[in-house]
Amino acid sequence: MNAWITEFINQFGYFAIALLIALENVFPPLPSEIILTMSGFMTTTTSLSIVGVIIAATIGSLIGALILYALGRQLTVKRLERLLSHRLFKLLGFHQDDAKKAADWFNKHGTGGILYGRCIPVIRSLISIPAGIAQTSLGKFCLLTTIGSAIWNTLLVVLGAWVGQSWNKIVIIFNDYTTIAIIIMAIVGLYFAYRWYQKRIKKPKFQE
């Protein structure tokens, strides 16, 4: 994978970086850690500059995030309410008004996740969807996404330039960070699933 990424960036420069990062936002398995640290290293061997790479990567991040945001906007609260009214979701403990409650909660408390989530694996891509569903204002979404993405991109690009040919070591470190983050998210997810089961599924049946 590294060879064709290098060749693609060598051939198309900043455009390639922006495109690859945009795709990474839509398809999380495409590793931004490799793209950004490699691009950082390439600023020491090619005409690419650190600032130019960061700007291109941030533009790509915003484009990819806007694609998922637009998809989220199509899944409106009313559509979710109709979905949650189906028997299967009722059996899983969902209520029809949960969609509006979730959207209201996100706009009140969760928009910070658009900023901080850009530095968390998987979350940095998926956070755009609930932002779209909750109808978070486009200006606010773009601002928070740009800031959060710029921080993440700057960190990796600068590290890649700093360590030079050892940029792979940075990728390994961030792969470990990704693994730890996913494990923590899985544990938290299981905890909330258990709480959901106790509150929404088990308890109502017990009361009956």
Side-chain angles (χ1 to χ4, degrees), residues 16 19 54 64 96 135-136:
L19 179 60
I54 292 171
Q96 192 170 4
Q135 306 287 303
T136 301

Side-chain angles (χ1 to χ4, degrees), residues 16-33:
I17 294 169
L19 179 60
L20 288 170
I21 294 299
L23 291 174
E24 181 271 336
N25 275 264
V26 179
F27 305 105
L30 190 65
S32 67
E33 291 85 354

Side-chain angles (χ1 to χ4, degrees), residues 36-45 156-171:
L36 293 172
T37 52
M38 181 188 294
S39 297
F41 163 59
M42 291 177 70
T43 63
T44 67
T45 60
L156 288 173
V157 171
V158 170
L159 283 174
W162 181 47
V163 300
Q165 292 183 345
S166 300
W167 63 269
N168 267 317
K169 295 180 179 179
I170 302 299
V171 174

Side-chain angles (χ1 to χ4, degrees), residues 60-114:
S61 298
L62 181 59
I63 292 172
L66 284 172
I67 292 172
L68 294 180
Y69 173 83
L71 291 175
R73 295 275 297 203
Q74 300 306 307
L75 191 60
T76 62
V77 170
K78 288 186 177 180
R79 288 178 179 175
L80 280 176
E81 286 176 344
R82 289 197 295 269
L83 185 65
L84 294 179
S85 66
H86 292 177
R87 178 176 174 78
L88 174 61
F89 288 97
K90 288 182 178 179
L91 290 174
L92 292 174
F94 288 95
H95 302 149
Q96 192 170 4
D97 61 351
D98 284 340
K100 187 177 187 307
K101 288 180 180 178
D104 290 343
W105 182 93
F106 186 89
N107 279 320
K108 188 174 182 180
H109 305 287
T111 50
I114 301 172

